[in-house]
């Protein structure tokens, strides 16, 4: 799905862009909480960058780095989860710091890892990140949280700079460093937004990031439960991979670089549209917990139906894009017969 050797260290310019944006945002007067934010990011960002360069940092070690970063966020930024809308659980997490730490580690580590899961095609993760950050910026503005609004704007700027080179040409990839940076910052902003602003529903972040989170949960389910394989085993049947293989029919089987790059770039818009089904309701209902939970359930249902349609070849003509050559038609038929 890619062509030629492409640098995977997009996390370096994204991080540099973030630092530049924060410096410009505060006009040289570094906000102490922004400095703390950067310090909290470092463990998980470094783990991702080292993996991009050496390929020797296991998923478990990267997840542990995300847990360490989450604990640093609790200590430096007071990023806690003490309000879930469940009275008994709220009492427990607010009364016992260890339980709160475990909950924060699970939430932040999970979202951080989930963002890496969906980073598979040009423009996919980067644009999903832009959509999530824009929603977080909007709600931060609505509740008057200037600090979090600034963090969103800074990362939006850094991400736009990256996307200029990543989509549609794919001349650089975010890599683990970029994906983990995105995931961690989004997770921390979500946690802090709920903790600092009682008017924000505690379930608003879940609907906002439900696409990468559900992609991760569903992947674990189909690997471990359905196929009996290790949950962390990589595979090529994520939703975005299936969209590429079965819905994007532009020059299937062609080995020409231009055709490969174009097919790649035609995949992400499908998932942008899917993500909009969670982002738009989240923005409209950010303070209404019952509606947020309802739309979360609807999104999961829509995802599962969409996935099942593709897997079972129940694809409607309007769902496909691109024209196939006679040679690619034959290759597609052989692929379908093999499946």
């Amino acid at each position: 799905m890619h062509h030629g050797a492409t640098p995977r260290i997009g996390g370096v310019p994204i991080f540099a862009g973030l630092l530049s944006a924060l410096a410009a945002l505060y006009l040289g007067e570094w906000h102490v909480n922004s400095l703390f934010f950067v310090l909290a990011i470092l463990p998980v960002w470094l783990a991702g960058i080292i993996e991009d360069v050496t390929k020797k940092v296991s998923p478990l070690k990267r997840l542990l780095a995300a847990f360490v970063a989450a604990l640093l966020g609790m200590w430096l930024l007071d990023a806690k989860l003490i309000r879930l809308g469940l009275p008994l659980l709220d009492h427990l997490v607010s009364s016992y710091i260890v339980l709160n730490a475990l909950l924060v580690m699970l939430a932040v580590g999970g979202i951080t890892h989930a963002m890496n899961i969906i980073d598979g095609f040009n423009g996919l993760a980067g644009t999903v990140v832009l959509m999530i950050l824009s929603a977080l910026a909007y709600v931060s503005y609505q509740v008057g949280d200037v600090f979090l609004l600034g963090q969103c704007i800074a990362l939006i700027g850094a991400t736009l700079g990256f996307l200029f080179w990543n989509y549609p040409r794919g001349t650089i990839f975010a890599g683990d460093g970029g994906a983990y940076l995105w995931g961690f910052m989004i997770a921390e902003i979500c946690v802090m937004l709920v903790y600092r602003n009682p008017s924000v529903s505690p379930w608003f972040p879940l609907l906002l990031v439900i696409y990468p989170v559900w992609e991760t949960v569903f992947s674990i389910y189909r690997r471990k439960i359905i196929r009996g394989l290790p949950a962390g085993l990589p595979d090529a049947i994520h939703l975005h991979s299936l969209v590429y293989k079965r819905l994007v029919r532009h020059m299937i089987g062609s080995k020409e670089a231009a055709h490969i790059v174009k097919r790649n770039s035609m995949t992400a818009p499908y998932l942008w549209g899917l993500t909009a089904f969670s982002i738009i309701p989240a923005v409209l209902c950010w303070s209404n917990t019952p509606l947020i939970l309802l739309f979360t359930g609807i999104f999961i249902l829509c995802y599962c139906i969409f996935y099942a349609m593709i897997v079972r070849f129940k694809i409607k003509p309007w769902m496909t894009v691109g024209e196939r050559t006679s040679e690619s038609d034959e290759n597609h038929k052989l692929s379908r017969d093999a499946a």
Side-chain angles (χ1 to χ4, degrees):
M1 60 186 68
H2 302 298
H3 177 77
T6 305
R8 292 173 43 87
I9 55 171
V12 174
I14 293 172
F15 189 62
L18 174 65
L19 295 180
S20 301
L22 291 175
L25 187 64
Y26 294 108
L27 302 177
E29 297 180 8
W30 195 274
H31 195 289
V32 65
N33 279 340
S34 291
L35 176 60
F36 289 160
F37 223 129
V38 172
L39 292 176
I41 290 170
L42 284 178
V44 69
W45 177 74
L46 287 173
I49 292 297
I50 294 172
E51 163 62 12
D52 290 331
V53 174
T54 68
K55 304 296 182 186
K56 294 182 179 179
V57 184
S58 68
L60 178 59
K61 291 179 180 177
R62 281 174 271 150
L63 185 59
L64 291 175
F67 290 161
V68 170
L71 293 176
L72 278 175
M74 281 190 68
W75 176 44
L76 296 173
L77 296 166
D78 202 27
K80 300 174 183 176
L81 277 175
I82 62 171
R83 185 169 56 88
L84 297 174
L86 304 171
L88 178 59
L89 188 57
D90 287 353
H91 172 72
L92 291 174
V93 296
S94 61
S95 302
Y96 300 97
I97 187 65
V98 174
L99 184 58
N100 191 274
L102 290 173
L103 188 61
V104 170
M105 288 165 60
L106 176 64
V108 174
I111 294 174
T112 301
H113 184 70
M115 200 57 64
N116 193 44
I117 291 289
I118 67 166
D119 184 26
F121 287 89
N122 299 341
L124 174 53
T127 303
V128 169
V129 165
L130 283 182
M131 295 169 72
I132 293 172
L133 287 171
S134 298
L136 287 170
Y138 170 78
V139 175
S140 297
Y141 174 78
Q142 290 295 313
V143 297
D145 198 319
V146 178
F147 171 70
L148 293 182
L149 175 61
Q151 306 309 299
C152 292
I153 292 173
L155 189 54
I156 285 173
T159 303
L160 283 171
F162 164 79
L163 281 173
F164 178 83
W165 301 101
N166 175 253
Y167 189 82
R169 296 168 293 172
T171 55
I172 191 170
F173 299 149
D176 289 347
Y180 282 128
L181 186 154
W182 283 331
F184 178 78
M185 275 206 70
I186 285 173
E188 285 292 293
I189 292 171
C190 286
V191 170
M192 295 176 69
L193 184 64
V194 171
Y195 179 66
R196 292 155 58 109
N197 302 281
S199 60
V200 179
S201 168
W203 295 97
F204 163 70
L206 176 62
L207 180 55
L208 206 57
V209 300
I210 190 60
Y211 164 52
V213 168
W214 184 249
E215 180 69 47
T216 303
V217 172
F218 188 74
S219 298
I220 294 172
Y221 165 74
R222 59 179 170 75
R223 289 171 186 164
K224 190 71 176 177
I225 306 300
I226 296 180
R227 305 178 68 193
L229 300 173
L233 185 70
D235 59 32
I237 51 176
H238 291 291
L239 179 59
H240 50 263
S241 301
L242 292 177
V243 167
Y244 173 80
K245 293 175 181 178
R246 300 186 181 180
L247 297 186
V248 180
R249 298 181 177 179
H250 178 73
M251 305 302 292
I252 296 175
S254 173
K255 301 300 181 182
E256 291 187 29
H259 295 159
I260 294 174
V261 172
K262 186 171 182 179
R263 286 193 66 215
N264 185 311
S265 65
M266 294 168 73
T267 301
Y270 281 94
L271 288 310
W272 300 343
L274 181 67
T275 302
F277 278 97
S278 68
I279 300 292
I280 294 173
V283 169
L284 296 176
C285 310
W286 57 268
S287 61
N288 191 320
T289 296
L291 281 179
I292 286 174
L293 294 176
L294 174 62
F295 282 115
T296 300
I298 292 174
F299 178 89
I300 291 173
L301 179 62
C302 291
Y303 175 102
C304 293
I305 292 174
F306 188 39
Y307 192 96
M309 289 177 68
I310 299 176
V311 168
R312 297 173 183 175
F313 288 97
K314 303 294 185 181
I315 300 169
K316 307 298 182 183
W318 57 265
M319 296 172 64
T320 62
V321 63
E323 296 293 333
R324 295 181 291 175
T325 64
S326 58
E327 178 183 357
S328 68
D329 280 337
E330 182 63 25
N331 290 335
H332 182 72
K333 183 179 183 300
L334 292 173
S335 174
R336 176 169 179 164
D337 291 342

